[in-house]
């Protein structure tokens, strides 16, 4: 996500300064070019050498260290960056920024930057709750600055409350969100993911091999691109992305109900779930005991959720389905695209290495209603998610007369 991005990190003087080493390491691993500027107080908690080693770049500590390719350090640094991060953001730097004070390198960078700026406050709970600090934060938010709320817990000063630096994953997700073009802002996207479980008795159920990874990747990518995302998920082992509203379901009937509740108000629906086609006719309320050498379980058909969505599809709504096949992929994909009244059908041959259910990658073919078939190469599921969203967004824009 951060390949080729230039991120400048301003570190100020709080104990959470030591946590920025891990943040910088993650940013560099994600492909960002990271420049670090430190206040004098920050250097009391962690040394510039740590960041020089982690970033491979010189660390900037002095406003008047005018050796930056012949330019003016704070102007060059501020303008050649895609994102300015202030971590940890103390009450002091927040106060200075809110009042236009630029008396050292980090505060001057904030004044000079024209890129997005994100503050991650970390301080004692009383300082954070101090009305002056809160007024300063509101003022900065009103000016368009981004904030990642501190977490609650035991603080370094021994007090328990709100003021701990937000978790690294939360900070990284906010960075991704800020740097991702918000082309789905204002849209509601409904995604389904995972398998369904059809109970047989209190200890057994029928299910399938779906891991949910593809649907979760789509939900996360859509949320990062600015959509309001509802993720209706069957049972999986994946931690739900922070940015989506998750509805956990178990059976196909529950998924059907949850999807219908949100479908009419959704602009885009992507049905990546592997829904069980049949469920046991009866659910025994006690454990079924073994008796004869063979047994037959009568099954009845589940509702075809996607088929129903196709029947009630609204004029400007875009509907995307999946087809996981083991043979005759093209034949089945084309018929599902038409029979279920879809706008796109994403098909994969689950027998291919790298395209199976629990894989981190997928190899998909995209079927369009005009007969076009696009064969994408093997990709990480996150990248496949972006490709699907790009195409769905294009159809949506055309349908809305936007391009
Ligand atoms: N689907 C659904 N409800 C069902 C079955 C499938 O919404 N009861 C959706 C899936 O989420 C997927 C698409 O329909 O987006 C295709 O699912 P798939 O299982 O491949 O197709 P089926 O229609 O069930 O046909 P078959 O099992 O015969 O291949």
């Amino acid at each position: 996500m951060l390949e080729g991005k230039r991120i400048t990190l301003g570190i100020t003087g709080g104990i959470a300064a030591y946590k920025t080493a891990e943040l910088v390491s993650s940013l560099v691993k994600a492909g960002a070019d990271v420049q670090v500027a430190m206040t004098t107080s920050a250097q009391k908690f962690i040394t510039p050498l740590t960041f020089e080693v982690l970033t491979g770049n010189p660390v900037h500590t002095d406003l008047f260290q005018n050796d930056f390719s012949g330019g003016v350090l704070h102007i060059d640094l501020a303008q050649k960056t895609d994102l300015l991060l202030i971590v940890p953001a103390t009450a002091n730097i927040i106060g200075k920024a809110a009042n236009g004070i630029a008396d050292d390198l980090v505060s001057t960078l904030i004044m000079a930057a024209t890129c997005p700026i994100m503050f991650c406050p970390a301080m004692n709970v009383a300082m954070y709750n101090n009305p002056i600090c809160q007024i300063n934060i509101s003022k900065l938010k009103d000016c368009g600055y981004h904030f990642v709320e501190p977490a609650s817990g035991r603080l370094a000063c021994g007090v328990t409350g709100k003021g701990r630096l937000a978790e690294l994953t939360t900070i990284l997700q906010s960075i991704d969100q800020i740097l991702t073009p918000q082309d789905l802002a204002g849209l509601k996207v409904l995604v389904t993911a995972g398998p369904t479980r059809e109970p047989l008795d209190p200890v057994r159920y029928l299910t399938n091999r779906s891991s949910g990874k593809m649907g979760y990747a789509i939900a996360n990518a859509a949320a990062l691109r600015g959509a309001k995302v509802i993720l209706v998920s069957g049972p999986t082992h994946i931690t739900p992305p922070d940015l989506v509203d998750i509805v956990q379901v178990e059976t196909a009937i529950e998924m059907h109900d949850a999807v219908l509740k949100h479908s009419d108000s959704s602009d885009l629906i992507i049905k990546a779930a592997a829904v069980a086609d049949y469920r046991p006719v009866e659910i025994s309320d006690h454990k079924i005991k073994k008796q004869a050498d063979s047994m037959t379980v009568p099954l009845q058909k589940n509702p075809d959720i996607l088929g129903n969505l196709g029947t009630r599809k609204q004029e400007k709504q875009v509907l995307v389905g999946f087809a996981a096949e083991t043979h005759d992929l093209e034949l089945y994909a084309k018929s599902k695209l038409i029979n279920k009244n879809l706008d796109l059908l994403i098909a994969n041959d689950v027998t291919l290495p790298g395209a199976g259910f629990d894989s981190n990658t997928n190899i998909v073919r995209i079927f369009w209603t005009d007969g076009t078939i696009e064969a994408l190469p093997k990709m990480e599921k996150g990248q496949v998610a972006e490709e699907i969203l790009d195409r769905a967004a294009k159809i949506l824009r055309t349908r809305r007369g936007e391009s």
Side-chain angles (χ1 to χ4, degrees):
M1 284 300 280
L2 300 179
E3 203 59 53
K5 296 287 178 198
R6 202 175 149 113
I7 295 179
T8 300
L9 170 65
I11 308 175
T12 68
I15 179 63
Y18 81 91
K19 295 184 180 172
T20 54
E22 207 183 340
L23 171 63
V24 167
S25 167
S26 304
L27 295 174
V28 171
K29 274 189 206 141
D33 176 17
V34 183
Q35 298 285 333
V36 174
M38 300 177 76
T39 63
T40 308
S41 309
Q43 293 167 65
K44 297 203 186 289
F45 292 98
I46 187 163
T47 68
L49 181 63
T50 305
F51 299 103
E52 281 177 1
V53 174
L54 288 173
T55 64
N57 288 322
V59 168
H60 312 286
T61 54
D62 183 2
L63 180 58
F64 301 103
Q65 161 202 335
N66 222 354
D67 57 355
F68 196 64
S69 334
V72 177
L73 175 62
H74 62 277
I75 302 294
D76 275 6
L77 250 188
Q79 292 185 353
K80 289 181 186 157
T81 196
D82 296 303
L83 175 67
L84 174 59
L85 295 174
I86 307 297
V87 190
T90 56
N92 183 47
I93 195 72
I94 290 169
K96 282 200 217 176
N99 290 286
I101 297 171
D103 62 356
D104 64 6
L105 179 58
V106 173
S107 52
T108 309
L109 281 175
I110 297 170
M111 283 295 278
T114 49
C115 63
I117 302 182
M118 188 175 104
F119 288 83
C120 300
M123 65 192 81
N124 164 273
V125 60
M127 292 173 80
Y128 184 70
N129 288 334
N130 186 306
I132 295 175
C133 185
Q134 288 301 316
I135 288 167
N136 288 336
I137 290 175
S138 301
K139 198 168 157 187
L140 289 169
K141 282 185 179 169
D142 288 347
C143 292
Y145 294 88
H146 303 270
F147 275 79
V148 180
E149 293 252 314
S152 293
R154 191 179 179 282
L155 307 179
C157 52
V159 181
T160 298
K162 192 169 178 178
R164 276 167 55 134
L165 185 68
E167 291 299 325
L168 180 64
T169 48
T170 311
I171 296 175
L172 291 172
Q173 190 163 53
S174 300
I175 293 170
D176 274 349
Q177 201 179 12
I178 291 172
L179 291 175
T180 304
Q182 301 291 287
D183 64 333
L184 301 182
L187 298 178
K188 181 172 169 185
V189 178
L190 174 61
V191 182
T192 68
T196 62
R197 250 182 211 171
E198 309 300 329
L200 193 56
D201 70 12
V203 296
R204 303 181 181 95
Y205 50 76
L206 301 179
T207 190
N208 58 64
R209 292 180 188 277
S210 170
S211 64
K213 286 180 184 170
M214 192 63 249
Y216 275 65
I218 295 169
N220 192 42
L224 285 173
R225 289 165 72 155
K228 173 178 170 49
V229 179
I230 312 284
L231 172 62
V232 178
S233 173
T236 73
H237 297 291
I238 310 175
T239 310
D242 284 348
L243 299 171
V244 312
D245 290 335
I246 184 135
V247 183
Q248 305 273 11
V249 297
E250 208 162 299
T251 64
I253 301 266
E254 285 170 14
M255 183 172 280
H256 187 242
D257 293 348
V259 164
L260 287 197
K261 196 169 152 200
H262 292 282
S263 60
D264 286 352
S265 56
S266 296
D267 302 287
L268 167 62
I269 305 176
I270 304 184
K271 278 222 81 256
V275 185
D277 289 328
Y278 293 90
R279 65 181 184 278
V281 172
E282 271 180 38
I283 306 172
S284 170
D285 55 12
H286 56 267
K287 186 181 171 198
I288 299 169
K289 289 295 184 187
K290 84 173 158 283
Q291 286 169 0
D293 285 349
S294 66
M295 72 179 280
T296 304
V297 179
L299 301 174
Q300 64 183 313
K301 225 177 197 173
N302 271 326
D304 183 338
I305 307 170
L306 189 57
N308 288 346
L309 293 174
T311 308
R312 54 193 284 160
K313 187 164 78 174
Q314 290 160 31
E315 206 192 337
K316 290 187 180 157
Q317 198 170 53
V318 170
L319 195 53
V320 181
F322 272 73
E325 306 291 350
T326 56
H327 59 285
D328 296 323
L329 181 139
E330 193 166 323
L331 183 75
Y332 290 128
K334 282 180 177 165
S335 79
K336 285 174 191 177
L337 177 71
I338 294 162
N339 295 342
K340 301 195 187 204
N341 192 20
L342 308 179
D343 298 290
L344 287 176
L345 187 283
I346 318 299
N348 61 322
D349 178 345
V350 288
T351 63
L352 292 179
F357 273 125
D358 200 24
S359 171
N360 289 326
T361 57
N362 208 349
I363 307 168
V364 301
R365 273 195 260 170
I366 303 183
F367 291 73
W368 294 73
T369 50
D370 65 1
T372 306
I373 305 172
E374 290 181 89
L376 302 189
K378 181 157 102 179
M379 293 174 177
E380 293 291 318
K381 284 186 172 166
Q383 184 56 36
V384 177
E386 302 288 354
E387 299 284 345
I388 295 168
L389 289 172
D390 285 349
R391 287 157 180 80
K394 190 174 161 208
I395 302 174
L396 264 172
R397 280 196 299 273
T398 310
R399 209 154 281 178
R400 294 164 159 238
E402 287 169 9
S403 64

